[in-house]
Amino acid sequence: MLNIPYDSALHVPLPEGQPILRTVPMPSDTNYAGDIFGGWIMSQVDTAGSIPAIRRARGRVATVAVNSFVFKQPVFVGDIVSFYANIIKIGRTSITVAVSVYAQRGAREGGEEICIKVTEAVLTYVAIDENRRPRVVPQG
Ligand SMILES: CC(C)(COP(=O)(O)OP(=O)(O)OC[C@H]1O[C@@H](n2cnc3c(N)ncnc32)[C@H](O)[C@@H]1OP(=O)(O)O)[C@@H](O)C(=O)NCCC(=O)NCCS
């Protein structure tokens, strides 16, 4: 039986507004130790960040850089994981997005649900054309 941290001191409110993505990790998403694999979170973060980038670019984008990625707290099977993504910079062909990830847990165990900030990341996407070459981001 895993010892799931239930530290109310870590509790934070969810950000205002709707997350761009919300999902629940499954046992198949764990590493050998039974916690959620960092690569699963990175994949979800990349997807979440691409959504505002695609909308702003009005078309296809490619991830060119992961500028920063911090796993602040572990994620566990059954957590309700919410991804919030905000564009923080628009260049000539690139769009940089900050993604914050929160996990809600506890309700299923019969306790009070707490919300923990688990990950912070900044990624840069490039608007690309049909030949996968950079294209200028359209005017706002
Ligand atoms: C994305 C890609 C098309 C960009 O092509 P490129 O010839 O390297 O593009 P450029 O050098 O003209 O740079 C394009 C933009 O990306 C930015 N950029 C490039 N490298 C960057 C980096 N390491 N960090 C942040 N921004 C970067 C540039 O500053 C430029 O932005 P701007 O136009 O807003 O000033 C190309 O690198 C590529 O296809 N990469 C693989 C993408 C991919 O497969 N991603 C999935 C992960 S496997």
Side-chain angles (χ1 to χ4, degrees):
M1 175 86 178
L2 283 173
N3 180 21
I4 308 276
Y6 188 86
D7 184 351
S8 59
L10 294 173
H11 178 77
V12 292
L14 276 178
E16 300 256 322
Q18 290 298 315
I20 201 90
L21 195 66
R22 178 172 279 157
T23 187
V24 177
M26 297 290 156
S28 58
D29 302 315
T30 57
N31 61 23
Y32 65 89
D35 294 347
I36 295 304
F37 176 49
W40 178 86
I41 299 171
M42 295 182 91
S43 162
Q44 305 295 322
V45 165
D46 190 20
T47 300
S50 74
I51 294 172
I54 287 167
R55 285 179 173 154
R56 183 60 186 79
R58 292 194 217 120
R60 188 171 169 181
V61 301
T63 312
V64 73
V66 177
N67 305 303
S68 66
F69 211 107
V70 182
F71 299 103
K72 294 166 75 73
Q73 294 292 330
V75 175
F76 303 110
V77 170
D79 282 354
I80 301 162
V81 187
S82 300
F83 300 77
Y84 292 80
N86 294 301
I87 292 174
I88 57 172
K89 186 180 162 198
I90 300 175
R92 199 177 80 83
T93 66
S94 69
I95 298 169
T96 299
V97 181
V99 182
S100 305
V101 188
Y102 295 80
Q104 290 167 282
R105 68 177 64 123
R108 217 188 359 239
E109 289 74 32
E112 194 180 333
E113 185 171 77
I114 62 166
C115 176
I116 294 169
K117 189 173 196 179
V118 291
T119 297
E120 281 176 351
V122 176
L123 301 92
T124 299
Y125 301 86
V126 176
I128 54 171
D129 63 19
E130 61 277 12
N131 299 312
R132 298 193 179 82
R133 294 304 307 154
R135 66 182 166 85
V136 174
V137 175
Q139 292 285 320

